[in-house]
Amino acid sequence: MDYQVVIPAAGSGKRMNAGKNKQFILLKGKPVIVHTLTVFEQDPACSGIILVINEKEKGDFLKLIELYHFKKVKQLVAGGAERQESVYNGLKACDSDIVLVHDGARPFIRQSHIRDLVLSAQEADAATIAVPVKDTIKKAENLQVVETIERSSLWLVQTPQAFRLSLILSAHEHAVKHQFAGTDDASLVEFMKHRVKIVYGDYTNIKLTTPDDLLFAKAIMESERGKSDD
Ligand code: CTP
Ligand code: MG
């Protein structure tokens, strides 16, 4: 089934400390956002990309779209102060039944996982890619352990996340109305007491957040698996 994808890329990448939006950092000679856009450009099920950007960087993004001949980027939408607002702005430009939200800063997403996710969203209306937590997680206060949290039920949630458009739009409206700030879009759906399905992803689908992530990114790209699909 066809879907459209909203790609938030309007952040400033403070934690990366690269002196520029991390979307423009080069991996194997190409900007991060180009790697991300390529995955969706090449997916036959993707019918359109809504790229959410900072207006000040519009010229830079337009240059890349032209240079790499991206045909599916149907709209550049201005982002907001927070990721949640950026995504909401992007969703308002969508008109497909199923929409995906995927961080511009996650260039290693694989098409096979996108397929699984879309199928799941068709059945459950809301789904997210995630991987089981591998480490032991402890809760602490003032460097004093308070609790060890049972790991078997914990998941590291990533993007893409997929939704029926009507559901995610109401979830964003509901969040605005109740001043609820979520760290991802699925949490806004949860806040409406709607279930979100988990779809197994991959540990290599990292978000480039801090400088050490660039080391992992290099390793992922060098291990053929990084960009190849099943
Ligand atoms: N994002 C966005 N609009 C914002 C903030 C973030 O579109 N106001 C996007 C980022 O560009 C990124 C994704 O949301 O692709 C995930 O956010 P994050 O990793 O936090 O990126 P930044 O906000 O850019 O980084 P930082 O928080 O370190 O400043
Ligand atoms: Mg951020």
Side-chain angles (χ1 to χ4, degrees):
M1 196 203 195
D2 282 8
Y3 66 84
Q4 290 175 340
V5 61
V6 172
I7 301 187
S12 52
K14 268 195 221 98
R15 287 169 290 174
M16 187 58 80
N17 209 11
K20 58 180 170 191
N21 184 351
K22 61 193 177 183
Q23 312 292 330
F24 299 110
I25 292 174
L26 301 184
L27 296 178
K28 290 226 163 150
K30 289 185 192 168
V32 167
I33 191 65
V34 168
H35 289 280
T36 307
L37 288 170
T38 301
V39 176
F40 292 97
E41 180 77 20
Q42 291 179 348
D43 182 0
C46 176
S47 61
I49 300 170
I50 286 93
L51 186 59
V52 188
I53 56 143
N54 183 327
E55 286 280 7
K56 287 186 200 133
E57 295 169 341
K58 192 168 185 176
D60 301 311
F61 281 106
L62 283 173
K63 266 186 219 148
L64 290 179
I65 290 165
E66 199 183 306
L67 185 62
Y68 290 94
H69 308 291
F70 291 122
K71 301 270 179 286
K72 291 189 181 172
V73 180
K74 44 178 247 151
Q75 220 171 309
L76 293 187
V77 170
E82 301 296 332
R83 180 187 178 281
Q84 186 170 319
E85 202 186 325
S86 293
V87 172
Y88 190 22
N89 291 353
L91 289 168
K92 287 187 235 171
C94 292
D95 55 12
S96 58
D97 180 32
I98 298 287
V99 288
L100 264 62
V101 178
H102 182 67
D103 292 325
R106 276 188 204 269
F108 304 118
I109 181 61
R110 301 166 67 166
Q111 271 187 19
S112 55
H113 291 131
I114 297 175
R115 272 196 296 276
D116 294 346
L117 181 73
V118 171
L119 284 174
S120 195
Q122 274 178 269
E123 282 173 24
D125 300 334
T128 182
I129 292 283
V131 287
V133 166
K134 292 197 270 191
D135 294 329
T136 294
I137 308 280
K138 292 188 192 290
K139 187 175 167 187
E141 279 162 24
N142 300 324
L143 297 182
Q144 184 69 48
V145 172
V146 176
E147 190 190 344
T148 300
I149 299 167
E150 172 59 37
R151 189 177 55 201
S152 60
S153 61
L154 296 181
W155 291 80
L156 292 173
V157 169
Q158 307 171 340
T159 69
Q161 302 189 335
F163 311 93
R164 224 163 270 286
L165 178 60
S166 52
L167 174 66
I168 190 66
L169 278 174
S170 357
H172 272 268
E173 281 154 26
H174 188 73
V176 170
K177 196 169 154 196
H178 295 273
Q179 297 184 317
F180 176 77
T183 48
D184 67 341
D185 300 281
S187 61
L188 310 188
V189 170
E190 294 155 41
F191 184 61
M192 288 218 311
K193 307 269 184 260
H194 193 293
R195 285 196 207 176
V196 177
K197 192 87 185 166
I198 281 186
V199 175
Y200 266 94
D202 195 305
Y203 290 97
T204 59
N205 180 30
I206 59 168
K207 179 160 72 67
L208 303 177
T209 306
T210 50
D212 50 357
D213 291 324
L214 298 178
L215 296 175
F216 301 129
K218 218 171 155 201
I220 293 165
M221 296 205 76
E222 270 158 21
S223 73
E224 286 182 356
R225 260 194 91 230
K227 283 302 277 188
S228 70
D229 204 17
D230 305 327

